[in-house]
Amino acid sequence: MDFNYRMPTRVFFGRQCISRNKDFFARLGRKAFIVTGKSSARASGALDDIEGVLNEANIKYEIYDGVENNPSLNNVEEAGALAAKSGADFIIGIGGGSPLDASKAVAVLAVNRMEAVELYKNSFPNRPLPIIAIPTTAGTGSEVTPYCILTRPDMQTKMSFGNDETFPAAAFLDASYTESLTRSVTVNTAIDALTHAMEGYLSKRSTAVTDALAAESMEILGECLIALNNGEISPGTRDKLLYASMLAGMVIANTGTTIIHGMGYSLTYFKDIPHGEANALFVKEYLEFNRDAAPEKTDRVLGLLKVESTQQLGGVIASLIEEKPSLNGEEINYYADLTMKQRSTLSNIKTVSAQDIEGIIRRSVKQL
């Protein structure tokens, strides 16, 4: 019972939470810079709601809708320069993990003359602009974490930065914004949330508080996976998914992730496999690998997810995602090396070697 926990983001949760709390926006300034992708913010209805609130409060705004699917340093550097030029008082990120993560980089770059690669120093001369985060998917939990994950072509992987200053000031979570998502995106983002909760629970950095949050998140997600398997995506299920994703975000805001994410990044970078789906491929082998280091916790994960074995859980997940990718031995070895370079790998509850990672990947994919 010796721990510290921090989650400074104010959360507004529920249908129409933006319009019901419209007075909050004026507290942050008179001009906003909106960071989003090409279509999700408008298609979900979130951008329309934000524009309505900002117009009513006479808050000026500019929109940057060029966030890439997996934002790069160049991408956020461009947006940051535009935000600086706009004279914005605060940033509004709308979308899935990519726009929400990008909004954190933009908040830093808007008030600091620095190259995007310097973000990884995690030390900023000027405090980043306040961020309002509005998720349109239920998976990343980025609305309640300080982390910004960017693609690094120079390192052929993804890397994150973030400190206490890059936590969003507020998050508005309205599950109606997720109702325009396809089934595959809904499933992939739900599994991303599951791996956040699971990795935080089986992390060397876990605490009594994060364990409690992770357990509730996994129990809810266990119910939701059954519904998704049955093809049932009701408004109530979407509320639960968004809530569970937020809880899992609160977990990793303090624990970080571990090896599932490290392995998944390579499948996304090299094979263009969606992030949640890439993570899903490793869940079964990840739990089996960690069982001897944390048998009670591993068994509790299975119980919370309402399955009797890792084999059964693997079957449930396999029924929700696409076919396993095929990798050759050289790719497996290289992806293992990249995983070992991730700082998060050190937090896995069981110490891992490159050979361990190779084995997990080999058993999780089709080998050429």
Side-chain angles (χ1 to χ4, degrees):
M1 300 300 288
D2 182 7
F3 63 86
N4 65 73
Y5 176 82
R6 179 161 170 76
M7 209 295 288
T9 304
R10 181 167 182 177
V11 173
F12 298 90
F13 192 101
R15 305 280 170 138
Q16 299 180 336
C17 60
I18 288 176
S19 60
R20 289 189 288 107
N21 297 281
K22 58 188 176 183
D23 293 343
F24 182 85
F25 292 82
R27 301 179 193 176
L28 299 183
R30 304 309 305 164
K31 186 166 188 181
F33 189 82
I34 299 173
V35 178
T36 188
K38 286 295 181 187
S39 58
S40 65
R42 188 70 72 187
S44 68
L47 185 55
D48 289 341
D49 286 352
I50 280 294
E51 288 181 315
V53 165
L54 295 180
N55 288 331
E56 186 175 343
N58 292 316
I59 298 173
K60 297 178 181 180
Y61 61 90
E62 293 184 22
I63 300 174
Y64 177 82
D65 62 0
V67 176
E68 300 163 348
N69 229 356
N70 294 290
S72 63
L73 294 176
N74 289 340
N75 191 198
V76 298
E77 200 163 76
E78 175 188 65
L82 292 172
K85 187 177 179 180
S86 76
D89 299 311
F90 62 102
I91 306 295
I92 301 176
I94 308 175
S98 293
L100 297 189
D101 283 8
S103 69
K104 298 166 188 176
V106 172
V108 177
L109 296 172
V111 290
N112 288 283
R113 300 186 66 177
M114 57 195 297
E115 295 184 6
V117 72
E118 295 179 87
L119 292 166
Y120 292 99
K121 293 180 180 179
N122 266 334
S123 179
F124 317 123
N126 298 311
R127 187 177 183 85
L129 294 180
I131 304 160
I132 289 178
I134 304 169
T136 60
T137 65
T140 71
S142 183
E143 68 275 7
V144 290
T145 79
Y147 305 124
C148 169
I149 300 173
L150 300 174
T151 299
R152 295 287 303 268
D154 57 323
M155 303 181 74
Q156 296 188 312
T157 189
K158 293 181 175 183
M159 288 187 67
S160 68
F161 78 89
N163 62 24
D164 279 1
E165 295 180 342
T166 52
F167 270 103
F172 288 80
L173 292 89
D174 182 337
S176 68
Y177 300 148
T178 70
E179 290 175 355
S180 60
L181 299 176
T182 64
R183 178 184 179 277
S184 63
V185 173
T186 301
V187 167
N188 289 340
T189 51
I191 295 177
D192 186 24
L194 173 61
T195 55
H196 289 159
M198 190 180 294
E199 289 174 87
Y201 191 62
L202 295 173
S203 168
K204 291 176 181 175
R205 298 170 61 191
S206 70
T207 68
V209 175
T210 60
D211 280 357
L213 295 170
E216 182 171 2
S217 178
M218 286 188 282
E219 185 169 28
I220 295 168
L221 289 167
E223 298 172 2
C224 292
L225 289 181
I226 294 171
L228 292 174
N229 250 320
N230 295 333
E232 301 169 2
I233 314 180
S234 66
T237 296
R238 291 201 179 275
D239 283 333
K240 289 180 179 179
L241 285 170
L242 190 60
Y243 176 62
S245 172
M246 178 198 70
L247 292 177
M250 291 177 176
V251 172
I252 62 168
N254 287 267
T255 66
T257 56
T258 62
I259 57 175
I260 289 182
H261 274 68
M263 293 183 291
Y265 289 154
S266 289
L267 293 184
T268 298
Y269 184 86
F270 292 103
K271 302 296 182 180
D272 201 29
I273 296 174
H275 175 60
E277 183 179 334
N279 288 356
L281 293 165
F282 301 114
V283 167
K284 172 182 172 291
E285 295 297 332
Y286 162 82
L287 285 175
E288 291 186 354
F289 174 77
N290 284 308
R291 179 184 286 279
D292 61 340
E296 292 183 4
K297 277 195 162 187
T298 303
D299 288 343
R300 191 177 183 211
V301 167
L302 298 175
L304 290 166
L305 296 176
K306 299 173 179 59
V307 294
E308 296 181 357
S309 65
T310 55
Q311 191 70 31
Q312 185 182 358
L313 177 58
V316 170
I317 290 177
S319 69
L320 289 168
I321 63 173
E322 301 295 329
E323 190 176 356
K324 293 181 178 180
S326 298
L327 302 179
N328 60 40
E330 185 178 343
E331 289 174 316
I332 291 172
N333 293 342
Y334 187 50
Y335 296 175
D337 287 341
L338 290 175
T339 302
M340 292 302 295
K341 293 177 182 178
Q342 293 284 344
R343 288 176 307 215
S344 58
T345 296
L346 297 174
S347 298
N348 195 67
I349 199 164
K350 179 179 178 180
T351 302
V352 296
S353 65
Q355 290 72 32
D356 293 327
I357 298 295
E358 288 171 17
I360 293 172
I361 297 174
R362 188 174 295 110
R363 294 188 296 273
S364 302
V365 302
K366 293 180 179 178
Q367 190 169 1
L368 295 173

